[in-house]
């Protein structure tokens, strides 16, 4: 096990399990939310179309801005603590994030409950529920993700923490399968009770796990912190970066990020990744309907849907073992090459090989989502580089995670817009009107008299050309990313040395 940022934790396994379990308390609610919130407001509360789109538009703006906003509010004191003279130590940062989770986690669960009871005019309730829910979800995600960078520096330690997140996220996915037994638009009472039970479990989990981590940290780490300050008075183990700095403004921070080349290349790659993940999610039902529905049973389609939902979490466990052996950079590059290779193979095979289509549709989503789940490890490495290059007193991990979200979340909006546009331009099919917008001459020409319906052919080409294009662009951007290998190890060594200077007596986890 590698070294942590701040010290030795006896029994790291239980600590990693506790950290990972926080993902369970989020996923059991969020998966249900994603499946049912639109159906609830459209079919049960009867929200009108204008109110729905106004709510979604405002939500889109709020969803993009709240990540950097909460990140800045959380970490601005870390950027300017050197000037004020009140140095904030790594243990204090960890305790601060755990305390935030113990508060925002239960509030997130309560905001989840607000969806399932009609308490206001549908349009107003839709807007308020979305903004409240996403606000608390963002706070939970930011602090939980930031802890990945704050708790550990070594790749081995971070991979272990991420491993248990994947385990518990997979367990949390079973709430989706359970929900089918309670969902009934005609009798909503049992589903409400189910949601109350999930929320109660989540509230208790967030509160007790975050408190348990706080108590363990105070018991095992803070005594070493007191020893470090005592030794510091004797001029032992001074930190390398102890010179006074001016407070960092948001403008200065953005300027620093703009010069952070690895950050910019990562954001470029991740924007495409977010687009591809949401493209798969948005058009998965369309592909099933127009490419496979005539050749597979409804039960097979539901199995494919279930596999695509839970398999990324399970598959990520294997990816993480590869990361420990070959490094995160190499594994992500292999996944991009695999995406490209599978796309080319299915393009050459054609649209008539049903079993190949089934495998490709499922695997494309699984591998794409699996890549997304590895990217937190890369962002944590970027936190390390930002800490060292800009000689910060503390790593502004939540703020960096927030800035990544700000610059990549537009991919969520681009996915349905570009997808529906491509479908309409190529085939003349308008998903909103459910009828051709024009005569699909081009599609019928390309089918070359094979009798393939233009819409089916259009879906097939969307299915294969989007992954191929994304993979090529991502490989180009990823090849310019240099934070791996010896450079990454040097960055981690410098950060560990700096943090050890702040806290003498550090041992391996």
């Amino acid at each position: 096990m590698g070294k942590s940022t701040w010290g030795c934790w006896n029994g790291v396994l239980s600590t990693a399990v506790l950290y990972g379990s926080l993902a369970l308390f989020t996923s059991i609610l969020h998966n249900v939310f994603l499946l049912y919130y639109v159906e609830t407001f459209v079919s049960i509360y009867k929200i009108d179309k204008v109110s729905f789109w106004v709510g979604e538009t405002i939500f889109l703006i709020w969803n993009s801005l709240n990540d950097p906003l909460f990140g800045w509010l959380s970490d601005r004191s870390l950027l300017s603590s050197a000037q004020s003279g009140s140095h904030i130590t790594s243990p204090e940062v960890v305790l601060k994030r755990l305390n935030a989770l113990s508060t925002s986690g239960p509030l997130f669960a309560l905001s989840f409950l607000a969806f399932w009871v009609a308490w206001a005019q549908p349009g107003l309730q839709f807007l308020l529920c979305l903004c409240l829910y996403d606000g608390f979800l963002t706070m939970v995600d930011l602090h939980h993700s930031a802890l990945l960078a704050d708790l550990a520096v070594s790749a081995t330690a971070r991979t272990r923490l991420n491993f248990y997140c994947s385990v518990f996220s997979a367990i949390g996915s079973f709430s989706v399968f359970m929900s089918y037994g309670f969902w009934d638009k005609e009798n909503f009472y049992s589903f409400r009770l189910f949601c109350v039970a999930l929320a109660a479990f989540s509230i208790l989990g967030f509160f007790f796990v975050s408190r348990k981590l706080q108590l363990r940290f105070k018991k095992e780490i803070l005594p070493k912190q007191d020893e470090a300050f005592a030794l510091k008075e004797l001029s032992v183990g001074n930190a390398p970066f102890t010179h006074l700095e001016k407070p960092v403004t948001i403008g200065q921070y953005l300027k620093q990020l703009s010069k952070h080349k690895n950050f910019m290349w990562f954001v470029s790659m991740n924007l495409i990744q977010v687009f591809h993940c949401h493209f798969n999610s948005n058009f998965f039902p369309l592909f099933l309907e127009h490419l496979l529905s005539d050749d597979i049973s409804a039960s097979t389609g539901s199995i494919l849907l279930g596999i695509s939902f839970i398999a990324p979490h399970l598959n990520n466990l294997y990816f993480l073992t590869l990361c420990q052996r070959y490094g995160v950079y190499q594994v992500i590059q292999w996944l991009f090459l695999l995406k490209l290779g599978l796309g080319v193979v299915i393009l050459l095979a054609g649209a008539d090989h049903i079993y190949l289509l089934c495998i490709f549709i499922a695997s494309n989503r699984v591998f794409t989502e699996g890549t997304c789940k590895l990217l937190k490890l890369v962002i944590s490495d970027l936190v390390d580089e930002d800490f060292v290059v800009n000689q910060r007193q503390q790593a502004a991990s939540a703020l960096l995670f927030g800035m990544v979200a700000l610059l990549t979340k537009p991919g969520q909006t681009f996915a349905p817009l570009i997808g529906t546009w491509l479908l309409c331009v190529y085939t003349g099919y308008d998903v909103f009107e459910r009828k051709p917008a024009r005569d699909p001459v081009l599609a019928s020409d390309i089918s070359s008299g094979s009798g393939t319906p233009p819409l089916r052919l259009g879906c097939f080409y969307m299915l294969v050309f989007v992954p191929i294009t994304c993979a090529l662009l991502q490989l180009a951007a990823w090849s310019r990313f240099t934070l791996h290998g010896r450079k990454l190890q040097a960055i981690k060594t410098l950060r560990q040395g700096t943090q050890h200077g702040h806290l003498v007596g550090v041992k391996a986890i």
Side-chain angles (χ1 to χ4, degrees), residues 178-472:
M178 295 172 61
S179 67
Y180 289 130
F182 295 92
W183 175 254
D184 185 353
K185 290 186 289 187
E186 305 302 324
N187 182 14
F188 207 46
Y189 181 73
S190 58
F191 183 76
R192 285 174 178 150
L193 291 181
F194 172 70
C195 291
V196 169
L198 290 181
F201 177 74
S202 181
I203 289 171
L204 293 175
F206 271 116
F207 182 79
F208 285 112
V209 170
S210 58
R211 292 296 181 186
K212 177 65 175 176
L213 284 171
Q214 284 178 307
L215 290 175
R216 174 174 297 178
F217 183 79
K218 290 177 181 178
K219 179 181 178 181
E220 298 181 8
I221 299 303
L222 290 188
K224 292 180 173 58
Q225 181 188 9
D226 295 336
E227 176 187 353
F229 282 121
L231 290 172
K232 188 176 179 181
E233 293 297 322
L234 299 174
S235 299
V236 176
N238 291 324
F241 306 137
T242 55
H243 59 277
L244 291 179
E245 299 174 350
K246 295 181 180 179
V248 179
T249 64
I250 186 64
Q252 291 171 325
Y253 181 77
L254 292 176
K255 186 176 181 180
Q256 291 172 347
L257 277 188
S258 67
K259 296 179 179 179
H260 192 170
K261 292 184 178 180
N262 281 323
F263 174 82
M264 301 305 294
W265 285 117
F266 172 79
V267 165
S268 301
M269 178 276 292
N270 196 22
L271 175 63
I272 302 171
Q273 187 66 23
V274 170
F275 164 83
H276 193 199
C277 284
H278 285 82
F279 175 86
N280 286 337
S281 299
N282 296 152
F283 293 95
F284 195 93
L286 187 73
F287 294 149
L288 286 181
E289 178 183 356
H290 296 290
L291 290 174
L292 302 177
S293 61
D294 294 336
D295 300 287
I296 64 174
S297 64
S299 59
T300 303
S302 64
I303 291 173
L304 280 175
L305 184 61
I307 290 174
S308 72
F309 216 93
I310 194 172
H313 301 293
L314 299 177
N315 210 35
N316 198 42
L317 304 180
Y318 175 65
F319 291 157
L320 288 171
T321 61
L322 293 179
C323 289
Q324 287 183 315
R325 185 172 181 180
Y326 300 105
V328 179
Y329 176 87
Q330 190 64 59
V331 172
I332 291 177
Q333 187 174 52
W334 287 341
L335 287 171
F336 291 156
L337 289 170
L338 181 62
K339 181 196 300 187
L340 176 61
L342 288 174
V344 172
V345 168
I346 199 67
L347 175 63
L348 296 176
D352 296 327
H353 294 78
I354 301 303
Y355 290 107
L356 277 179
L357 277 178
C358 289
I359 294 172
F360 180 75
I361 290 174
S363 63
N364 181 41
R365 177 170 163 78
V366 168
F367 291 140
T368 303
E369 293 289 336
T371 304
C372 288
K373 297 182 187 307
L374 296 179
L375 297 184
K376 284 187 178 181
L377 295 173
V378 183
I379 301 174
S380 298
D381 292 338
L382 289 170
V383 170
D384 297 337
E385 187 178 35
D386 175 71
F387 173 85
V388 172
V389 170
N390 294 299
Q391 300 185 357
R392 304 201 190 283
Q393 292 293 317
Q394 282 298 329
S397 47
L399 181 55
L400 192 67
F401 272 93
M403 294 306 301
V404 169
L406 172 67
L407 296 173
T408 58
K409 276 191 174 180
Q412 298 181 13
T413 305
F414 294 153
L417 292 179
I418 293 177
T420 53
W421 176 77
L422 286 173
L423 195 64
C424 186
V425 167
Y426 184 71
T427 69
Y429 180 75
D430 190 334
V431 296
F432 298 105
E433 297 182 5
R434 290 283 177 177
K435 62 182 180 180
R438 60 171 178 80
D439 184 23
V441 177
L442 177 61
S444 58
D445 289 343
I446 294 179
S447 63
S448 301
S450 64
T452 305
L455 180 56
R456 185 174 189 271
L457 189 66
C459 288
F460 174 74
Y461 282 125
M462 279 181 61
L463 176 68
V464 295
F465 279 124
V466 168
I468 289 173
T469 303
C470 289
L472 290 172

Side-chain angles (χ1 to χ4, degrees), residues 7-289:
C8 93
W9 280 26
N10 295 322
V12 67
L13 177 61
S14 57
T15 298
V17 169
L18 288 173
Y19 172 80
S21 68
L22 293 171
L24 167 64
F25 309 130
T26 302
S27 63
I28 59 170
L29 303 184
H30 193 54
N31 290 334
V32 173
F33 160 79
L34 290 175
L35 276 181
Y36 296 110
Y37 87 96
V38 172
E39 183 72 9
T40 297
F41 275 91
V42 172
S43 301
I44 298 177
Y45 300 157
K46 307 298 183 183
I47 187 174
D48 62 275
K49 185 177 181 179
V50 173
S51 297
F52 179 82
W53 285 111
V54 168
E56 285 286 359
T57 302
I58 296 175
F59 167 67
L60 172 65
I61 298 172
W62 170 243
N63 186 35
S64 298
L65 296 179
N66 61 19
D67 290 90
L69 173 63
F70 292 156
W72 175 255
L73 293 176
S74 172
D75 286 359
R76 60 178 178 175
S77 61
L78 305 182
L79 297 177
S80 56
S81 60
Q83 175 70 16
S84 63
S86 57
H87 175 66
I88 301 176
T89 64
S90 294
E92 290 173 333
V93 172
V94 173
L95 286 174
K96 175 184 175 183
R97 300 206 191 285
L98 291 173
N99 184 62
L101 281 172
S102 68
T103 303
S104 57
L107 290 174
F108 160 70
L110 290 175
S111 68
F112 168 79
L113 288 178
F115 284 92
W116 318 117
V117 178
W119 48 268
Q121 189 269 337
L124 177 62
Q125 180 177 347
F126 184 70
L127 174 60
L128 293 178
C129 283
L130 277 180
C131 291
L132 280 174
Y133 178 85
D134 187 68
F136 289 122
L137 175 63
T138 297
M139 292 174 67
V140 170
D141 278 345
L142 276 181
H143 287 292
H144 188 241
S145 299
L147 278 175
L148 182 65
D150 293 333
L151 288 174
V153 173
S154 73
T156 303
R158 285 177 177 170
T159 301
R160 188 175 184 83
L161 292 172
N162 206 5
F163 176 88
Y164 283 101
C165 285
S166 295
V167 170
F168 282 101
S169 293
I171 296 173
S173 298
F174 282 99
S175 65
V176 172
F177 297 98
M178 295 172 61
S179 67
Y180 289 130
F182 295 92
W183 175 254
D184 185 353
K185 290 186 289 187
E186 305 302 324
N187 182 14
F188 207 46
Y189 181 73
S190 58
F191 183 76
R192 285 174 178 150
L193 291 181
F194 172 70
C195 291
V196 169
L198 290 181
F201 177 74
S202 181
I203 289 171
L204 293 175
F206 271 116
F207 182 79
F208 285 112
V209 170
S210 58
R211 292 296 181 186
K212 177 65 175 176
L213 284 171
Q214 284 178 307
L215 290 175
R216 174 174 297 178
F217 183 79
K218 290 177 181 178
K219 179 181 178 181
E220 298 181 8
I221 299 303
L222 290 188
K224 292 180 173 58
Q225 181 188 9
D226 295 336
E227 176 187 353
F229 282 121
L231 290 172
K232 188 176 179 181
E233 293 297 322
L234 299 174
S235 299
V236 176
N238 291 324
F241 306 137
T242 55
H243 59 277
L244 291 179
E245 299 174 350
K246 295 181 180 179
V248 179
T249 64
I250 186 64
Q252 291 171 325
Y253 181 77
L254 292 176
K255 186 176 181 180
Q256 291 172 347
L257 277 188
S258 67
K259 296 179 179 179
H260 192 170
K261 292 184 178 180
N262 281 323
F263 174 82
M264 301 305 294
W265 285 117
F266 172 79
V267 165
S268 301
M269 178 276 292
N270 196 22
L271 175 63
I272 302 171
Q273 187 66 23
V274 170
F275 164 83
H276 193 199
C277 284
H278 285 82
F279 175 86
N280 286 337
S281 299
N282 296 152
F283 293 95
F284 195 93
L286 187 73
F287 294 149
L288 286 181
E289 178 183 356

Side-chain angles (χ1 to χ4, degrees), residues 265 470-481:
W265 285 117
C470 289
L472 290 172
L473 293 174
Q474 287 176 302
L475 284 168
W478 199 233
S479 66
R480 304 296 298 272
F481 187 83

